[in-house]
Amino acid sequence: ALATNPDLRMAAHRIAAAREEVEVARSAWAPVLGVGLNFGYSNDPASVLMMRLRQRDLELGPDTDLNEPGWQTNTRVSLTAGWQLYDGGRRTSMTELRRLQVLLTEGDRDAILNELKAAVIDTSLAVFMAEEFGRVATESVNLTSEQVKIASTRHELGQAQRSDLLTAEVRLAEARETLVKAENARARALTALRNLLGLSSDAPLNLTGTGDFHVPPVVTTELVGVAAANRPEVKKAADAVRMAERQVELTRVGYRPTVSVFGSYDVDNALGDFSLDNDSGTVGLTLDWALFEGGRTNSRVASAKARLEAAREAERKAILAVEKDVAMADLRLGEARKRLEVSEKSAEQADEALRLIRARYENGAATITEFLDAEVALTGARVRTVSARYDVERATADIRRALGICRAAPETAALDDVTGDE
């Protein structure tokens, strides 16, 4: 799943894109250098005049007609440079915003990891649980099938009523139905697992092992504190607040001027000629300062402040949601443990009851209905025990997810670097 899950791979691409945006923001600090080549061919009087001036070839003799200058060519090679000296903090704010965006995308990746690992564990356990349900149901089918044969033989010998045979056949049909449900449950769980692994629904998938494994337990009692420190959703909400704060600073840049220097070096020649004598240069300084803009910056700052307050409320909501999630996961784990304790005792009692009734049935002291009722009770107790046992492990994985520790947070420098250890 860590290697092929589409959500995780998309998160890796988004992180890579966000990191490149940081480099784009940082590049604004560097000067801009450029080279240009321009070719012109014109008989426009003003254009021809400027071409000849730049080529140092303008002669205004008595026979010169500025209205009919003829056709003129000009080739200009330009080297340009520009550098913003002061921008009121715009570049600093943009760089910090892009850096925080990386943290947000990494938070998305961490949240996916947390949910994905828990989901893979839960779904794998569901597969093994369905397999155990199938084994229990198979035992029930086999036992009931034997009783159908016994009832049929006794009925043919006149030692049992037809109703006993029909009762046994009905119970056999119910047991087979339970087996079909268990097999379908396993198939559904495998389909869900394939989806988490990024596989097609018909891809071959075989799980090795018996399913007798245990999720590492949670040993801390400070559940809320651990969750607040580890849940990606809480960290993302905090980073969103920091982004909103930086956005406020960015909008305030509108109150400040910008100062830039610029320069160019140009060489102009007619087509087919080249001489550095026809060169020219320009350097300058620009100052831009919006003295009045109808309150636009004021409104932008007010809007950014409102979004900042919304981000702070979203952070508070995320903390409350995590606290609730942890509390509910803890309750589910406690319930599963209690159900396991009760179901294990119930299974022991049901097994003993079936043993006693079997002995009575074989001695003719109990009816087949009593025997089959005892068998159904045992099957139900075993199913509840299996369910409770796996529910404990699934609830343990869920509480680890709720605490944010069912994940890893590796550096995602490349697409392949999206895995981590539990």
Side-chain angles (χ1 to χ4, degrees), residues 43 50 66 82 99 104 115 148 171 267 273-274 283 344 356 398 405:
N43 68 346
M50 293 304 299
L66 294 179
R99 191 185 69 82
L104 283 179
E115 297 289 337
V148 169
R171 292 294 170 84
V267 178
D273 297 332
F274 182 78
V283 294
E344 286 177 339
L356 295 174
D398 188 55
I405 59 177

Side-chain angles (χ1 to χ4, degrees), residues 31-289:
V32 178
L33 303 176
V35 61
L37 175 64
N38 178 273
F39 173 75
Y41 183 57
S42 176
N43 68 346
D44 176 69
S47 297
V48 171
L49 179 64
M50 293 304 299
M51 289 179 180
R52 289 179 177 174
L53 277 173
R54 287 169 175 167
Q55 296 173 15
R56 307 294 196 269
D57 190 35
L58 179 62
E59 295 181 1
L60 299 177
D63 297 330
T64 301
D65 185 356
L66 294 179
N67 292 317
E68 297 292 339
W71 290 90
Q72 179 70 30
T73 62
N74 184 71
T75 302
R76 162 168 280 207
V77 179
S78 302
L79 297 176
T80 59
W83 195 3
Q84 194 168 58
L85 302 178
Y86 176 75
D87 64 356
R90 180 180 286 105
R91 289 172 293 184
T92 300
S93 295
M94 284 301 300
T95 301
E96 180 63 12
L97 279 173
R98 295 294 178 257
R99 191 185 69 82
L100 290 171
Q101 186 62 44
V102 171
L103 295 181
L104 283 179
T105 54
E106 289 178 342
D108 289 336
R109 184 270 319 277
D110 292 345
I112 292 171
L113 276 169
N114 191 43
E115 297 289 337
L116 178 60
K117 284 192 171 185
V120 169
I121 292 172
D122 182 83
T123 310
S124 300
L125 286 168
V127 173
F128 289 122
M129 182 172 65
E131 289 178 352
E132 288 208 32
F133 284 165
R135 285 192 287 272
V136 172
T138 299
E139 292 177 5
S140 177
V141 168
N142 293 337
L143 180 59
T144 309
S145 296
E146 292 178 4
Q147 297 309 311
V148 169
K149 291 179 181 179
I150 294 173
S152 177
T153 301
R154 288 184 175 181
H155 174 64
E156 291 175 358
L157 297 174
Q159 298 175 355
Q161 298 180 4
R162 179 169 175 75
S163 60
D164 291 342
L165 175 59
L166 293 175
T167 299
E169 289 175 343
V170 169
R171 292 294 170 84
L172 177 58
E174 293 174 350
R176 286 173 175 168
E177 181 181 355
T178 302
L179 178 59
V180 170
K181 289 181 178 179
E183 291 173 346
N184 286 337
R186 181 180 184 277
R188 289 194 300 270
L190 282 173
T191 299
L193 187 57
R194 288 188 183 93
N195 182 262
L196 293 173
L197 298 178
L199 303 175
S200 62
S201 59
D202 57 351
L205 178 62
N206 296 313
L207 299 185
T208 59
T210 62
D212 186 19
F213 61 90
H214 300 282
V215 180
V218 175
V219 296
T220 181
T221 57
E222 299 296 329
L223 299 180
V224 174
V226 172
N230 289 278
R231 277 292 287 270
E233 293 84 352
V234 175
K235 293 182 179 180
K236 283 177 56 182
D239 289 336
V241 171
R242 292 165 60 192
M243 282 191 68
E245 291 172 344
R246 182 58 65 174
Q247 192 67 45
V248 172
E249 292 300 318
L250 183 60
T251 56
R252 286 175 175 160
V253 170
Y255 294 123
R256 304 164 192 158
T258 62
V259 180
S260 303
V261 294
F262 65 90
S264 67
Y265 175 73
D266 308 291
V267 178
D268 294 87
N269 288 283
L271 183 64
D273 297 332
F274 182 78
S275 173
L276 292 178
D277 293 336
N278 303 331
D279 62 343
S280 61
T282 303
V283 294
L285 180 73
T286 60
L287 170 67
D288 292 315
W289 197 351

Side-chain angles (χ1 to χ4, degrees), residues 133 136 339-353 373-389:
F133 284 165
V136 172
R339 285 197 298 109
L340 177 59
E341 181 180 353
V342 172
S343 62
E344 286 177 339
K345 293 181 179 179
S346 176
E348 292 176 1
Q349 293 169 347
D351 186 63
E352 178 64 15
D373 286 343
E375 188 276 328
V376 169
L378 177 60
T379 299
R382 286 178 176 175
V383 167
R384 289 191 296 272
T385 301
V386 170
S387 178
R389 178 161 58 85

